[in-house]
Amino acid sequence: MEAARRHRLKDHVRTNWRNVVLICRKCSKKLDGGFGPDGDERLAKALRKHLSLKKGRKADAGIVEVNCLGVCPRGAVTVVDGADSKEWLLVRPGADLDELAQALHLNQFDP
């Protein structure tokens, strides 16, 4: 922390996020899509589009693809809700994104 002050490095960054969702990148890559209107998008991109969320720190919520979460379900994507991280979701291709958004406490960001 002291070194950051000397060199004027930031020690924190602000976001507009009210919630964050972690999506396993490895699971998404293994499925090669399966989400969105045509079923050809990865879950993070499809969910972001469905909720009309921007990407990055200026969005209302963070939908972040992370490295392997270690669950590795067959035929599903592991998803962690930052507001309720005790139970992780296993989301199958073609899942209803409205229901998923509600389960992830993201329904308040609906357009």
Side-chain angles (χ1 to χ4, degrees):
M1 189 85 127
E2 187 62 38
R5 288 186 193 146
R6 271 190 299 226
H7 298 289
R8 300 232 185 246
L9 296 176
K10 291 183 178 183
D11 59 356
H12 69 278
V13 177
R14 294 178 192 249
T15 71
N16 292 337
W17 296 354
R18 289 183 265 163
N19 192 8
V20 64
V21 174
L22 307 178
I23 298 177
C24 181
R25 179 181 291 120
K26 186 175 178 182
C27 293
S28 292
K29 198 171 183 179
K30 279 183 179 180
L31 287 181
D32 194 31
F35 301 95
D38 298 326
D40 61 348
E41 294 178 339
R42 289 165 70 150
L43 180 57
K45 185 174 183 177
L47 192 56
R48 213 177 281 118
K49 274 186 181 178
H50 182 74
L51 296 172
S52 299
L53 290 174
K54 296 177 185 173
K55 194 173 180 181
R57 297 181 301 117
K58 305 236 180 206
D60 289 329
I63 297 176
V64 182
E65 281 189 304
V66 297
N67 287 333
C68 185
L69 292 167
V71 176
C72 302
R74 189 169 280 171
V77 178
T78 306
V79 178
V80 179
D81 178 3
D84 185 17
S85 60
K86 288 187 179 189
E87 289 191 31
W88 295 6
L89 301 175
L90 304 178
V91 182
R92 307 249 176 243
D96 184 330
L97 295 181
D98 283 326
E99 288 179 15
L100 180 59
Q102 188 171 10
L104 294 171
H105 306 98
L106 295 174
N107 50 344
Q108 68 266 25
F109 306 116
D110 247 346

